[in-house]
Amino acid sequence: MNHSGGCQCGAVKFTATGEPVRAMACHCTTCKLRSGSPYGIGVYFKDEQVEISGGQVQTFTFSSDTTGRWIKNEFCAACGATFSWTLEMRPGLRAIAGGSFDDPDWFKLDAHIWTQSARSDMCYPEGMATFPQALT
Ligand SMILES: [Zn+2]
Ligand SMILES: [Zn+2]
């Protein structure tokens, strides 16, 4: 099964093949800043499951404010939308931003993580796994 998507302007496209390793909603500071939203959704695949094509991709590498390990955001040079990232913490894996899929509802969330920094008015679906920090 292929799942495609891309950036906001459509210049950069991606296709993810097969099932994700894990899909998580993350309430950490990094995901808030990347997405401009209360939380970010990362759908993690093995590197070889994801193919990126089309326009120019730029990267921004920085260190996690909690672990000091590197995180590399990948975004479209034309529209600036960050559609993917890789992390020192998860070698061999690539996250796709959940909202970047053509159908952003095709995958099931496994958990909400970093809930200790979630907004105070955040509610979770019944039965959803939640973790105060990272799920390792
Ligand atoms: Zn774009
Ligand atoms: Zn996060």
Side-chain angles (χ1 to χ4, degrees):
M1 194 71 179
N2 288 349
H3 299 281
S4 54
C7 65
Q8 191 160 17
C9 75
V12 178
K13 304 281 188 195
F14 61 79
T15 302
T17 304
E19 290 304 305
V21 175
R22 189 178 273 176
M24 297 179 292
C26 182
H27 300 259
C28 80
T29 308
T30 289
C31 287
K32 290 184 205 296
L33 290 172
R34 183 193 63 249
S35 66
S37 301
Y39 62 88
I41 292 180
V43 187
Y44 286 83
F45 295 89
K46 293 178 185 154
D47 277 334
E48 59 268 24
Q49 286 179 279
V50 181
E51 211 165 298
I52 297 169
S53 60
Q56 191 191 343
V57 174
Q58 291 191 341
T59 63
F60 171 62
T61 305
F62 60 101
S63 296
S64 161
D65 60 351
T66 50
T67 67
R69 288 182 285 203
W70 63 259
I71 301 168
K72 184 160 83 175
N73 288 349
E74 297 184 331
F75 55 96
C76 169
C79 71
T82 298
F83 58 91
S84 180
W85 61 96
T86 52
L87 304 90
E88 185 177 357
M89 183 184 170
R90 302 191 187 282
L93 297 186
R94 162 179 295 282
I96 299 288
S100 300
F101 286 99
D102 294 336
D103 174 9
D105 200 34
W106 73 269
F107 55 89
K108 290 264 173 290
L109 285 177
D110 296 311
H112 280 246
I113 63 171
W114 283 103
T115 57
Q116 71 178 25
S117 47
R119 278 182 56 86
S120 59
D121 62 356
M122 184 65 202
C123 300
Y124 304 96
E126 210 178 308
M128 175 60 67
T130 61
F131 298 87
Q133 295 191 349
L135 177 58
T136 51

